[in-house]
Amino acid sequence: MKPLSIITTLVILGAAWLTGCTPEGSNTGQGGALSSADAASRVYVPPGEHDEFYAFMSGGFSGQISVYGLPSGRLFRVIPVFSQDAEKGYGYNEETKPMLQTSFGFVPWDDSHHPELSQTDGVPDGRWIFINGNNTPRIARVDLSTFETAEIIEIPNSGGNHSSPFITANSEYVVAGTRFSVPIPNEDMALAEYKDKFKGSLSFISVADDGDMDVAFQVLVPGYDYDLAHAGKGKSHGWVFFTTYNTEKASTLKEIGASQNDKDFIAAVNWQKAEEYLAQGKAHEMSASYYNNEYSDENHSATSTLKNSVNVLIPEECPGLVYFLPTPKSPHGVDVDPTGEYIVGNGKLSADMSVHSFTKMMQAIENEDFETTIDGIPVLNYETVLDGIVKEAGLGPLHTEFDGKGNAYTSFFISSEVVKWKTDTKEVVDRAPSYYSIGHLMIPGGDSQQPWGKYLVSLNKITKDRYLPTGPELTQSAQLYDISGDKMELLLDFPTVGEPHYAQALPADLLKPKSVKTFRLEDNQHPYATVTEADAKVTREGNEVHIYITSIRSHFKPDNIEGIRVGDKVYIHLTNLEQDWDVPHGLSVMGANNAEILVMPGQTETLLWEPGKPGIYPFYCTDFCSALHQEMQGYIRVSPSGSNTDLTWSTGE
């Protein structure tokens, strides 16, 4: 008899669940059956008042991060990270193009899944938020004082970057694991050699005090698929845990081939032990080409640095570096409670949930209680490290977060619900429906040592009848629950940008005081900055023209320019002279085949324009700035190639 496909299995399981009895302790209403008026009053933020939390949600296939307020669900900003953004000129202006440089060339898109806030002593501190690029393996760091991408580092020896960029308790490292195992180094070979030749890598990217990232080391691991991760905390600080699937090493039709083994693994990596091995010279220096791109707020520009090697540790040569914890097959999330004792990893086709004990794991290591060894990695005895099982909690457990009060909350994809259970007794105490097919969930600080356990956000994959229809595709969706009481209460549905995989949140009062309001003109070190109108000018070097232009309410200087020729490369360097908060200026030119530039107060940005035919080209400010915004405009005269038109510029003189 042929094995059932995963899709068929899910349909059967889901139907059985939905037609069965309602589980004991369930909330059959809208997450506690609140009245509409009561729910509305609890998410209402009066005009002029601020939300309690900032929530940062991944943009999924948009490649961005979106910023929402909680409890209102209002969208405040989209932060461009891995994708060009015409609204802000990111990836279009000359200053930010280097941010999207990779060893594959200029890659202006990625699939961003997991935002992760920087931490101090295991608590989000509001300095930075990191996010992964899943398609072309990268990790980005966003500065939360400016809400702008400050750095992007490429991850070598990787195929897919899903288990990323989960952070250690003092932001020592963010991590990345190969979703798709690949040849390392990557080279041409027959796909039939998958089982023997393909490998996985677990990357540890160091984070300096100023945020600067570097690939500190990689651990070479068997050629499985590494799905998600979380760092230890409290008693388990010093370890990082990665889920694996496809221990069968199937390379085709994985929905069947990667679901044959009864158990897959959680890989436990001792990064403090790795540091010891690095100090002992145990690492192999491997050739690898990858880019580290950094943006400077001093010169308002990004630079790309090509790196050519990485340190690799091999578990067979480094005893005690990596252990495998057997886990029911096809686990997705791996989550660690605030004490660092409980490690939750579940087979996503299961109805039960396995909870491992860090204390028991360490005892098993000390006693060498191993089932076997794979490529130098001991496999711990499942029964020995298991703390307990949450019985019949739901169908399709994916992700778990914690409220800091001894409770865990797990998302169940197939049965479309959030389930609350006690970490010590493994008892289910509440459940609430989600609409529909929940993936990740988020509690502010819920993966840290100090959760702010007031709200829970479910990030749903399907909305169907929840919103106005918008053609074949409906909006992505999030739902807000109040978890401050014994029962979860659904307060709000709100639409989201892209596909929100994961989210993180922290109190607004932690972040608001750090917000940059303007860039000081006197600190502007951009090589083409024009910090006074008197310095505005136009220069020519062969066919390269540089326009040093300023903006202030409500004019450009200069605003009449002649002497540009077809075939010129025209660099328009706009410096915004404003020193007032929230007064950006934009600039666009008719026919330019890229986006506008949007320049913050005190900042300089550059638009590259290559005019293709003679004529008069208007330019104007794209960001409404004053009552005379419409008058903030100018003209550029473009003459035929080889003409002798004088290069002149003026503003009403």
Side-chain angles (χ1 to χ4, degrees), residues 515-631:
S515 185
V516 169
K517 293 179 170 62
T518 63
F519 297 100
R520 286 159 39 104
L521 275 170
E522 53 266 40
D523 295 335
N524 188 332
Q525 299 176 26
H526 192 289
Y528 294 97
T530 309
V531 296
T532 69
E533 287 192 340
D535 295 325
K537 61 184 178 181
V538 183
T539 65
R540 174 183 287 281
E541 298 174 17
N543 73 332
E544 189 172 289
V545 177
H546 292 266
I547 300 175
Y548 298 73
I549 187 171
T550 63
S551 61
I552 196 165
R553 288 167 287 186
S554 298
H555 64 271
F556 293 106
K557 185 168 184 180
D559 64 5
N560 276 235
I561 301 164
E562 301 187 49
I564 308 300
R565 305 166 190 156
V566 172
D568 283 345
K569 297 184 72 171
V570 182
Y571 293 88
I572 304 173
H573 310 287
L574 175 62
T575 300
N576 182 350
L577 299 182
E578 305 284 355
Q579 291 290 266
D580 190 9
W581 189 19
D582 195 27
V583 190
H585 289 297
L587 186 146
S588 67
V589 181
M590 185 177 74
N593 61 355
N594 53 15
E596 59 146 11
I597 52 176
L598 185 65
V599 189
M600 299 300 112
Q603 198 174 48
T604 302
E605 287 189 6
T606 303
L607 174 69
L608 172 59
W609 174 47
E610 299 182 62
K613 57 184 179 180
I616 303 299
Y617 289 82
F619 64 92
Y620 67 101
C621 177
T622 52
D623 192 273
F624 195 95
C625 56
S626 72
L628 297 178
H629 168 71
Q630 286 294 98
E631 284 77 7

Side-chain angles (χ1 to χ4, degrees), residues 97-324:
K97 282 180 181 177
M99 296 297 286
L100 302 177
Q101 184 64 37
T102 77
S103 61
F104 302 94
F106 181 75
V107 179
W109 173 84
D110 218 309
D111 185 16
S112 59
H113 280 217
H114 305 123
E116 186 80 356
L117 289 160
S118 58
Q119 295 185 7
T120 301
D121 295 329
V123 181
D125 55 28
R127 290 179 294 167
W128 311 297
I129 192 162
F130 302 84
I131 194 163
N132 63 320
N134 187 29
N135 184 65
T136 302
R138 290 176 277 184
I139 290 175
R141 174 174 59 88
V142 174
D143 186 334
L144 290 181
S145 68
T146 60
F147 282 60
E148 293 181 353
T149 302
E151 185 175 8
I152 297 178
I153 191 166
E154 191 178 1
I155 310 300
N157 297 328
S158 181
N161 177 37
H162 196 251
S163 50
S164 172
F166 301 95
I167 199 163
T168 57
N170 285 295
S171 303
E172 298 95 342
Y173 298 100
V174 290
V175 301
T178 46
R179 176 180 176 182
F180 312 110
S181 291
V182 292
I184 298 178
N186 202 338
E187 58 191 6
D188 178 38
M189 67 175 60
L191 293 175
E193 297 187 79
Y194 183 102
K195 287 191 175 183
D196 296 327
K197 297 289 184 68
F198 286 36
K199 293 287 186 181
S201 67
L202 306 178
S203 302
F204 285 72
I205 293 84
S206 60
V207 182
D209 290 341
D210 63 358
D212 186 52
M213 296 188 292
D214 190 23
V215 181
F217 63 92
Q218 296 183 310
V219 181
L220 204 63
V221 285
Y224 309 148
D225 293 46
Y226 295 83
D227 198 8
L228 278 166
H230 260 107
K233 54 180 75 80
K235 64 174 63 179
S236 55
H237 177 62
W239 293 78
V240 173
F241 305 94
F242 297 81
T243 52
T244 72
Y245 63 99
N246 193 28
T247 51
E248 300 85 351
K249 294 187 177 181
S251 61
T252 184
L253 200 59
K254 286 190 177 182
E255 68 162 343
I256 295 175
S259 299
Q260 300 303 302
N261 293 340
D262 182 53
K263 289 184 175 63
D264 289 308
F265 299 127
I266 291 173
V269 181
N270 186 336
W271 58 261
Q272 292 178 333
K273 179 71 72 174
E275 291 179 334
E276 294 176 12
Y277 283 125
L278 289 169
Q280 295 168 16
K282 293 284 190 178
H284 297 261
E285 185 175 359
M286 180 180 290
S287 295
S289 294
Y290 60 100
Y291 275 90
N292 189 0
N293 309 321
E294 297 184 72
Y295 183 86
S296 165
D297 281 334
E298 283 70 42
N299 60 26
H300 306 292
S301 300
T303 55
S304 293
T305 302
L306 179 63
K307 301 196 172 186
N308 53 28
S309 67
V310 64
N311 287 321
V312 175
L313 296 172
I314 299 175
E316 289 174 302
E317 301 171 358
C318 303
L321 177 60
V322 186
Y323 296 90
F324 281 148

Side-chain angles (χ1 to χ4, degrees), residues 312-354:
V312 175
L313 296 172
I314 299 175
E316 289 174 302
E317 301 171 358
C318 303
L321 177 60
V322 186
Y323 296 90
F324 281 148
L325 283 66
T327 300
K329 66 181 177 183
S330 301
H332 190 49
V334 55
D335 303 284
V336 183
D337 86 303
T339 70
E341 170 64 16
Y342 301 114
I343 305 159
V344 184
N346 310 295
K348 61 177 178 278
L349 304 180
S350 175
D352 297 333
M353 297 170 55
S354 300

